[in-house]
Structure formats: C-alpha cells, structure tokens
C-alpha cells in the first residue's frame, strides 16, 4: 500500500502528489472478496464443498462395491461442480450490470479490461482450487470407502486424466464467463448457459443419430462433444484438434466479441 | 478542476447532450442545474468515462478520467446511490472501494461516522436501506479518499431536511478547503443556497452559465404596464433588449436587460404609466431557471459571462 493521505487535518486538496496506479493483484483480491461477500455468492461457493461431500456420501451409500474407485468419486463430485462453477463465472461478470454495481466498479477502475481480467483470474483460481478440493475429497472417499468395505483402494485415474478433467471444468467455467460478457444479464446468461451446455447437447445428439453426415462432422462442430472426450481418458491428436477448433468457434470468438462490446458499452 | 469541452452525446437521432462546455473551478461549488432529462446525468457519466461521448471531451484534474492512475483517490463520484449490489452490506461496499483505492482500513469506519450511518445500519444489506441511507452510503464512498474533486449527481435526493443541511455544510467545507465540487440538481433552492457558480442546462444545451451573482444580475429588471406594445416600442427605440416575461403569470410584464432607473426614465419620456418596476432578481433563481429552460425551446439564450 502506498502512502496514506488521510491523516493530516484539513488537507489542501490541490497540489497533491499523483497517486500510484492500482496494482493488478489488488484488483484480483477485491474481485475475490466480491465473490464471497454477498449471500448468493457465499452459498454458491459453499455449495461447491457441500455438493462434493453429498456426492461422496452418495457414492459410499449407493454405489456397488466394485465401483468404489477414485474415478467414481471424481466423476460424481465433478458433475455438480460442472454446473456450479460456470454459474460463479456468469455472476461475477453479470452482477456488475444486473446489480448495477458496475457504476462504482468502472468509475474506480475506468480500464474495464483490467477488471475483467481480474475476474477471469479469480474465475480460473476458483476453478483450480475447486478441482483440488474435489480430488482431496475423492481421495478421502476412496481411502475411507475401501477401508469400510475392507478392500484395497482403487486409484484408476492417471494424472493426465485428472488434468483433462481440470481443463474440461475450466473450459466450462469460461463458457459461463463468455456468456456473462456477451449477455451481461444474470438470468439471461444463466439460461443461455443451460441451453448452450445441455439443450444444445441433446439436439446435436438427436441430429447425429438420425443424420449420418452430421455424425461424421460432429466432432468438428459440437463443442460439448469435443469436451466430452476430456472426461474419457487421454485424447489423440484428432480429438485435440476437434477441441481446439470447436473452442475457437464456440468460446474464443464469442468471447472476443463480448469483450469488445463490453469495453465500449455504456454503463448505466 | 473539471473542464468540459464541446461535449455532445447522441442516441440515434436524439441529442441528449448538445455541445456542452463549462469549467468547474477549485474552491467553488458548481451547481449543474436542469429539469429531469436535461442531460445532466449523461454529461456526468461522460466525465467519469462510463459513457463514451459522440464528440467533444471532458477532463478532470487536467486528465481524461480514464488516464487518472487511481481515479478514486482524486475524484469522488456519486452517480446513482441505488446502483449497488443489493446483497452487500453498506460496510462491505465501502470496504470494496477502500481496498480498490488502496486506503487504510480505518477509513471505512471514519466515513460511516462522517455520514452518520450507525454500526448496525452499516451491517445491514443495502436492499433494506432507505433512499436516504443509500445516499449517505454513496456520499461516504465518494468522500472515502478525501478527494480533490467531487462529482455528485442529485446527492440531496432522498435526504430529509436535516440531511440536506448536513450535506450542504459538508460540500461547502470541501470547497472552502480548495476542492472542486460539481453537483447536479433539479432542487433549485438547494442549488441556490450552496452553489457559487451555476451551469443551467435544458434539452441537452447549456442555456445559462456564470457565477450565481452574475446570473441573478443578468436577470435584469421586470416592468409591468397596461400598454405593453408602447413600452416595448420605447425600449426598442432606446436600444434596450427585452422580452415578454411570463414569470409573474400575466402577459403585461416585460423583462428588460438593464437597470430599473433606465427603464423608469424611458417610461417617463414615453409617458407610459407603470404598474410595477423592480429588479427581476427578486423573483429568485427558480423563476430564472424556469424561464431559461422554457426559453430554450424558443432558441433564445441568455448567456452570463462564461465562468
């Protein structure tokens, strides 16, 4: 923190030294605070841990003994997270508009790109920390579960598998971030996310089953399908190419357009 | 110091702000006066970089607002007290601003104290605040860094009479210490009491600006007579500018841009009986304001010396 200007009585308000620029790290920490300091934000964050524990409990209670493996835990914990993390990303962007707090935020930091970059950094950080939490809970579940059942713990996920899952969750989170930046309205962006990730998946699935030409083309146009590979072990080079192409079309380009309009839009 | 230079903002074919230029000087309270929808808020949003102007520009402390390294430290801004996340407490909102600006944590308590928000009020969520409390919170945010420039949009909105008095004293104190204070209002009496300089805006255009004293003086003389055409002809013959004034309700009054003595002499020479002859400033700023803003539709301008 730089020098304080507030302690002297009746300061001369003119001819003061120019304050130092706001460091990026400070913006990141402020954005992190903003994720937690509303009731909605707090419970959204807490729900990551809560659903992870519920999912672990559910696996322990209901999964057949042969399924008490690390990958079972990881995927059960990952599923609710795949819904919650993008919501966090959506709201971190849209609340500035829907709640109109952007009026203060973008007055204190007129370079909107810095605020958005700080939000992206926080989003990424939350995504990674959540994954680590999920893996920790999954590890505890695997050890605990196998101890209860009296079997050897099964570690059936490689580091590559785990990294792929982290990548998939992060992509999902940035889809939420992108929709937030494009739509800038909380309810609208959340609905759009569900359409994007679930309704669209159903439609392309139906199309692929009835139309052969689409079934061949699908890996190159269906972002969700290309991401699905990340949950099923390691990817071959074609699958990586599929993921790259669909990411550019469905995530990178709309993100660029969304950010471009966001920087120039009027904040009211 | 705030400098606004030929600022225009159009939305489609609608000119919300039309070629607005003025300067708000240090040590003075500048009142930005206009009816609702006159373009005050749009102008202020342009000043702080939230709205891109169509043409022209505005500088604060000699820089474009966006070029200030830590704008909150130099410029306190309150545009809309209700524009806050309803789910945050007042204290958290101040804390976010305090951390963003890099101020010591203690400032939050000091400011809560200064705007008379109690500790329990500060811990309530803003959704449960009255407009007056939101306004106090907004003022606290603006004053947090003890800035040298204040830009406040309708800060008196929602405050009770004691609150308005408190705010007036506070802004006066700031200006007396050398700060530049720009506040907008449609509350004419509030502006009349506090402002040193006035910028009057109507339909996006500045219709009058200058010091309060100049503007009141420039309101001239009000003369009432039963023979308006003869009086008008006599004034025209003497080369004295004048307009028919509706300020006192009837159609028998003229507002004359000169002093009462000269108007009296002209009337005497022309042998016109007067019903009333007085300085128009007695009619107060409200009359001037209403007159100027309605004059605006007729494209006539009364321009005090630019500040």
């Amino acid at each position: 923190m730089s020098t304080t200007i507030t302690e002297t009585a009746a300061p001369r308000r003119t001819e003061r030294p120019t304050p130092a620029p706001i460091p990026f790290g400070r913006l990141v920490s402020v954005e992190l605070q903003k994720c937690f300091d509303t009731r909605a934000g707090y419970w959204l964050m807490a729900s990551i841990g809560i659903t992870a524990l519920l999912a672990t409990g559910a696996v322990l209670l209901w999964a057949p003994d042969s399924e008490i493996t690390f990958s079972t835990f990881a995927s059960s914990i990952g599923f609710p997270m795949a819904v919650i993390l993008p919501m966090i990303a959506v709201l971190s962007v849209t609340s500035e508009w829907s709640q109109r707090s952007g009026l203060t935020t973008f007055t204190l930091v007129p370079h909107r790109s810095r605020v958005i970059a700080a939000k992206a950094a926080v989003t990424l950080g939350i995504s990674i920390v959540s994954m680590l939490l999920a893996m920790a809970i999954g590890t505890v579940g695997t050890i605990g579960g196998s101890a209860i059942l009296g079997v050897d713990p099964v570690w059936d996920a490689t580091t590559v598998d785990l990294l792929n899952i982290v990548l998939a969750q992060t992509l999902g989170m940035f889809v939420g971030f992108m929709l937030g930046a494009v739509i800038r309205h909380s309810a609208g962006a959340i609905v759009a996310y569900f359409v994007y990730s679930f309704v669209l998946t159903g439609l392309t699935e139906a199309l692929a089953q009835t139309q052969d030409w689409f079934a061949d083309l699908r890996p190159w146009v269906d972002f969700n399908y290309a991401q699905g590979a990340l949950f099923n072990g390691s990817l071959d080079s074609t699958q990586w190419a599929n993921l790259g192409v669909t990411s550019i079309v469905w995530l990178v380009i709309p993100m660029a357009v969304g950010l471009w309009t966001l920087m120039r839009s009027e904040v009211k | 110091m705030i400098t606004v230079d030929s600022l225009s903002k159009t939305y489609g074919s609608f000119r919300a702000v039309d070629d607005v230029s003025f300067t708000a000087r240090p040590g003075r309270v500048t009142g930005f006066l206009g009816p609702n929808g006159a373009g005050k808020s749009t102008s202020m949003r342009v000043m702080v970089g939230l709205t891109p102007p169509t043409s022209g520009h505005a500088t604060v402390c000699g820089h474009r607002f966006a070029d200030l390294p830590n704008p909150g430290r130099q410029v306190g801004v309150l545009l809309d007290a209700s524009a806050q996340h309803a789910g945050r407490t007042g204290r958290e909102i101040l804390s976010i601003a305090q951390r963003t600006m890099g101020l010591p944590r203690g400032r939050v308590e000091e400011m809560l104290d200064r705007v008379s928000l109690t500790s329990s009020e500060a811990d309530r969520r803003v959704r449960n605040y009255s407009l007056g409390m939101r306004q106090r919170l907004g003022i606290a945010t603006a004053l947090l860094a003890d800035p040298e420039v204040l830009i406040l949009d309708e800060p008196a909105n929602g405050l009770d009479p004691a609150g308005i008095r408190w705010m007036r004293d506070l802004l006066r104190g700031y200006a007396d210490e050398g700060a530049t204070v720009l506040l907008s209002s449609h509350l004419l009496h509030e502006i009349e009491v506090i402002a040193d300089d006035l910028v009057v805006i109507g339909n996006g255009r500045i219709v009058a600006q200058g010091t309060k004293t100049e503007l009141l003086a420039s309101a001239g003389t009000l003369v009432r007579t039963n023979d308006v055409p003869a009086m008008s002809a006599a004034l025209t013959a003497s080369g004295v500018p004048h307009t028919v004034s509706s300020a006192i309700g009837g159609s028998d009054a003229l507002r004359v841009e000169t002093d009462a003595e000269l108007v009296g002499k002209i009337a005497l020479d022309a042998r016109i009986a007067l019903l009333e002859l007085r300085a128009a400033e007695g009619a107060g700023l409200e009359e001037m304001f209403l007159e100027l803003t309605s004059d605006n539709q007729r494209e006539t301008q009364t321009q005090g010396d630019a500040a």
Side-chain angles (χ1 to χ4, degrees), chain B residues 227-241:
Chain B
D227 196 352
V228 171
M231 188 68 218
S232 180
L235 289 167
T236 308
S238 307
V240 178

Side-chain angles (χ1 to χ4, degrees), chain A residues 128-214:
Chain A
I128 290 168
V129 169
S130 304
M131 292 304 128
L132 292 176
L133 181 73
M135 286 170 199
I137 294 175
T139 305
V140 171
T142 309
I143 295 170
S146 54
I148 292 166
L149 296 169
V151 297
D152 288 335
V154 183
W155 305 104
D156 54 352
T158 66
T159 311
V160 171
D161 294 343
L162 294 178
L163 285 177
N164 283 347
I165 291 174
V166 170
L167 178 62
Q169 298 279 28
T170 305
L171 280 176
M173 209 163 176
F174 275 104
V175 167
F177 198 84
M178 176 274 287
L179 291 169
V182 170
I183 296 170
R184 278 174 262 144
H185 183 276
S186 298
I190 288 173
V191 169
Y193 179 78
F194 283 104
V195 170
Y196 216 82
S197 300
F198 299 102
V199 178
L200 217 53
T201 313
L203 290 177
T204 52
E205 182 65 38
L207 193 61
Q209 284 184 354
T210 54
Q211 305 287 327
D212 285 343
W213 62 268
F214 184 75

Side-chain angles (χ1 to χ4, degrees), chain B:
Chain B
M1 177 90 119
I2 304 168
T3 309
V4 177
D5 188 16
S6 314
L7 198 70
S8 293
K9 174 68 187 176
T10 57
Y11 296 97
S13 62
F14 173 62
R15 288 182 88 79
V17 179
D18 189 0
D19 198 27
V20 164
S21 300
F22 67 88
T23 304
R25 288 176 290 166
R28 299 180 74 85
V29 176
T30 304
F32 199 19
L33 188 62
N36 294 323
K40 304 185 297 289
S41 300
T42 307
S43 302
M44 286 178 146
R45 278 205 313 276
V46 173
M47 283 174 219
V48 301
L50 291 178
T51 293
T54 306
S55 64
H57 54 88
T59 61
V60 184
C61 303
H63 299 276
R64 236 164 42 91
F65 189 86
D67 293 336
L68 298 172
N70 189 346
R73 282 283 188 97
Q74 288 174 279
V75 190
V77 180
L78 169 60
L79 293 181
D80 184 344
S82 295
Q84 284 300 349
H85 197 300
R88 286 200 180 100
T89 67
R91 195 189 301 278
E92 283 160 351
I93 284 172
L94 280 180
S95 144
I96 287 171
Q98 164 255 318
R99 291 188 57 210
T100 306
M101 293 184 228
L103 295 166
R105 194 180 290 267
R107 280 303 280 175
V108 171
E109 293 306 318
E110 283 174 46
M111 282 301 113
L112 287 171
D113 215 38
R114 180 135 191 208
V115 301
S116 310
L117 283 175
T118 65
S119 192
S120 72
E121 285 170 335
D123 287 329
R124 256 190 258 166
R125 291 178 197 276
V126 168
R127 114 169 11 99
N128 304 317
Y129 273 28
S130 68
L131 180 56
M133 287 164 72
R134 285 174 200 217
Q135 208 68 257
R136 285 172 186 272
L137 180 67
I139 292 169
T141 312
L143 299 184
L144 207 53
D146 210 9
E148 61 206 76
V149 175
L150 285 175
I151 297 178
L152 311 171
D153 195 4
E154 308 266 358
N157 239 358
L159 292 178
D160 54 26
I164 290 177
R165 178 64 195 262
W166 159 80
M167 192 198 63
R168 183 199 303 161
D169 293 345
L170 185 130
L171 297 184
R172 184 75 261 160
Y174 256 73
D176 288 347
E177 287 172 27
T180 305
V181 180
L182 175 68
L183 80 158
S184 77
S185 184
H186 59 265
L187 302 172
L188 312 172
H189 292 296
E190 183 51 44
I191 287 272
E192 189 175 5
V193 173
I194 188 175
D196 303 303
D197 298 322
L198 287 171
V199 177
V200 188
I201 184 170
N203 294 330
R205 293 189 73 89
I206 289 183
V207 290
Q209 65 174 315
T211 66
K212 187 168 64 181
T213 331
E214 276 169 0
L215 283 177
L216 288 174
S218 77
T221 303
L222 205 67
V223 56
R224 259 177 75 220
T225 171
N226 282 329
D227 196 352
V228 171
M231 188 68 218
S232 180
L235 289 167
T236 308
S238 307
V240 178
H242 59 281
T243 51
V244 175
S245 170
S246 56
I248 52 172
S251 60
D252 56 353
L254 293 171
R255 187 160 54 76
V256 188
E257 288 175 28
T258 185
D259 56 60
E261 190 183 357
L262 181 58
V263 178
K265 272 186 181 151
I266 293 169
L268 180 64
D269 293 346
R271 303 184 60 76
I272 296 168
L274 299 183
L275 298 173
E276 192 177 345
L277 177 64
R278 63 177 168 90
E281 75 182 270
L285 192 57
E286 180 159 2
E287 189 179 286
M288 185 201 81
F289 169 66
L290 288 171
E291 208 169 309
L292 287 171
T293 47
S294 61
D295 271 356
N296 185 46
Q297 268 105 26
R298 299 200 299 269
E299 295 288 303
T300 57
Q301 279 206 33
T302 304
Q303 184 93 12
D305 277 348

